[in-house]
Amino acid sequence: ALENEWIDDWYCNPPFDDKLRFIQKAVFEATIMGHSGLMLLPHEPLTDWWIENVEPYADTIYLPDGRYPFYERDGYTKKDGVNFGSCFVLFTPHAGNGQPRQARFERTMQGPAGKAQLKPPAGLNEYLIWSSNLSFELNRRTALNKTAG
């Protein structure tokens, strides 16, 4: 993923232990290549990596109404040790003023027992549809926020 060009409206859920290289790739794709995209990241706005690599380049930071549980690839086994909040960060060619907008949103994806979750779809087709729907919804809300603001 780091060696390939990302197409416009990309979505990235990077390995959190290697997030900095993926954030740098996202910034390159948005600012140099002109490809907007959305990235799932730990929400840690007081850390150096966030202050130096996310704030200066992000367009919008989408903050969910709670924490997402994460699941193993089987889609059913809940991962242990996820003790931090996450957010979606939108990178666009026109951002970079160091003042990303923040948008709160209600989670609408439903999991077992009606609980919201971020669960990886089973196959590539399901993932592409899931990712496109999420990206479309966040882009729609961004457009509404821009018109309202």
Side-chain angles (χ1 to χ4, degrees):
L2 294 172
E3 300 299 321
N4 296 319
E5 182 177 338
W6 295 356
I7 60 171
D8 205 20
D9 296 327
W10 51 264
Y11 173 75
C12 180
N13 179 0
F16 288 170
D17 60 347
D18 194 19
K19 63 187 165 287
L20 187 54
R21 291 190 325 139
F22 281 85
I23 294 169
Q24 291 167 344
K25 173 69 170 172
V27 169
F28 172 81
E29 289 294 331
T31 60
I32 304 300
M33 302 302 290
H35 300 153
S36 296
L38 192 66
M39 182 174 278
L40 175 68
L41 289 171
H43 186 236
E44 299 176 341
L46 300 178
T47 61
D48 287 342
W49 70 263
W50 181 280
I51 292 167
E52 295 168 6
N53 297 283
V54 175
E55 277 185 18
Y57 304 104
D59 179 278
T60 306
I61 299 166
Y62 294 94
L63 303 167
D65 61 351
R67 290 184 178 174
Y68 285 105
F70 287 80
Y71 292 84
E72 297 292 346
R73 290 184 182 265
D74 65 11
Y76 298 98
T77 308
K78 193 172 179 181
K79 283 190 174 188
D80 292 329
V82 181
N83 59 357
F84 51 82
S86 55
C87 63
F88 295 98
V89 179
L90 178 64
F91 293 95
T92 67
H94 310 293
N97 65 3
Q99 300 288 324
R101 292 174 292 187
Q102 292 193 7
R104 296 194 178 276
F105 70 95
E106 292 181 22
R107 297 168 292 166
T108 57
M109 291 180 262
Q110 297 297 311
K115 295 183 178 178
Q117 66 182 10
L118 188 58
K119 178 178 169 184
L124 180 60
N125 288 337
E126 291 89 354
Y127 173 79
L128 293 173
I129 292 168
W130 174 82
S131 173
S132 296
N133 289 341
L134 178 62
S135 182
F136 171 78
E137 179 62 19
L138 292 177
N139 285 337
R140 184 183 72 78
R141 290 176 187 233
T142 299
L144 291 174
N145 287 340
K146 286 180 181 175
T147 6

